[in-house]
Amino acid sequence: MSPVGIRKGQRVELLRGVELFSGCSKTELERIASLTTDHHVKAGQVLTQTGEPGLEFFVIVEGGATATRKGVQIATLGPGSFFGELALLDGGARTATVVANTDMKLLVLSRREFQSLHHAAPPVAGKMLVELGARLRRADDMLDAAPIGDSKIGAWSL
């Protein structure tokens, strides 16, 4: 990944449109924005690999990617989508493989930066946990509704 140069004001606006941060105030968004780094990746680059350590969280600024799990497509991701959030919470292994379909611009937040945010602004982590809980419930609902043996679960918002 290489740096691309997204201004702080742009970062705040991008983060404001991300569902995970929807409950955050402008001040909280500015703090999160100050901790992110921006990167450019080429089409075909593997961004996360199932089973590998998860050390960062990604927000898509431009471009698109596909998320798969055990060879099954679970999501098509585009601008405003995010992935890798579980790594922020538990530092565990990746649960999906995400590959860039196009050249992409990303905002990246490392687990270390997230931990500093958590200590400086604890309400942000709480708001993120509420959103993550809602996301897990939607995923459960989709799995419950999927026909047995369906090879494509649908377009999850990973």
Side-chain angles (χ1 to χ4, degrees):
M1 283 187 271
S2 59
V4 291
I6 300 170
R7 292 187 325 270
K8 185 178 176 183
Q10 288 176 300
R11 289 178 195 206
V12 169
E13 289 309 309
L14 290 165
L15 293 171
R16 182 183 317 279
V18 174
E19 189 177 7
L20 186 62
F21 301 117
S22 63
C24 294
S25 69
K26 181 179 180 190
T27 301
E28 291 166 336
L29 290 171
E30 287 171 346
R31 177 72 177 135
I32 296 165
S34 73
L35 295 171
T36 62
T37 55
D38 42 306
H39 292 280
H40 180 267
V41 298
K42 296 286 187 188
Q45 184 168 340
V46 176
L47 303 168
T48 68
Q49 179 71 46
T50 303
E52 293 294 317
L55 303 174
E56 62 271 322
F57 160 80
F58 304 88
V59 175
I60 299 175
V61 177
E62 290 180 11
T66 299
T68 59
R69 185 169 178 160
K70 297 182 181 179
V72 176
Q73 181 177 331
I74 57 173
T76 300
L77 306 166
S81 297
F82 60 91
F83 57 97
E85 68 279 1
L86 290 179
L88 296 183
L89 298 175
D90 67 3
R94 296 289 188 193
T95 60
T97 296
V98 178
V99 178
N101 297 332
T102 64
D103 288 357
M104 300 176 72
K105 288 183 182 177
L106 303 165
L107 291 179
V108 181
L109 182 68
S110 74
R111 186 160 194 261
R112 181 176 164 195
E113 291 159 336
F114 174 73
Q115 288 173 334
S116 77
L117 173 68
H118 176 67
H119 293 295
V124 172
K127 291 173 185 179
M128 289 175 68
L129 286 172
V130 168
E131 184 54 42
L132 287 171
R135 190 178 208 188
L136 285 171
R137 287 189 185 280
R138 288 191 301 273
D140 282 346
D141 290 345
M142 289 178 74
L143 287 172
D144 288 343
I148 295 175
D150 191 356
S151 64
K152 185 174 179 183
I153 300 299
W156 283 10
S157 173
L158 222 206

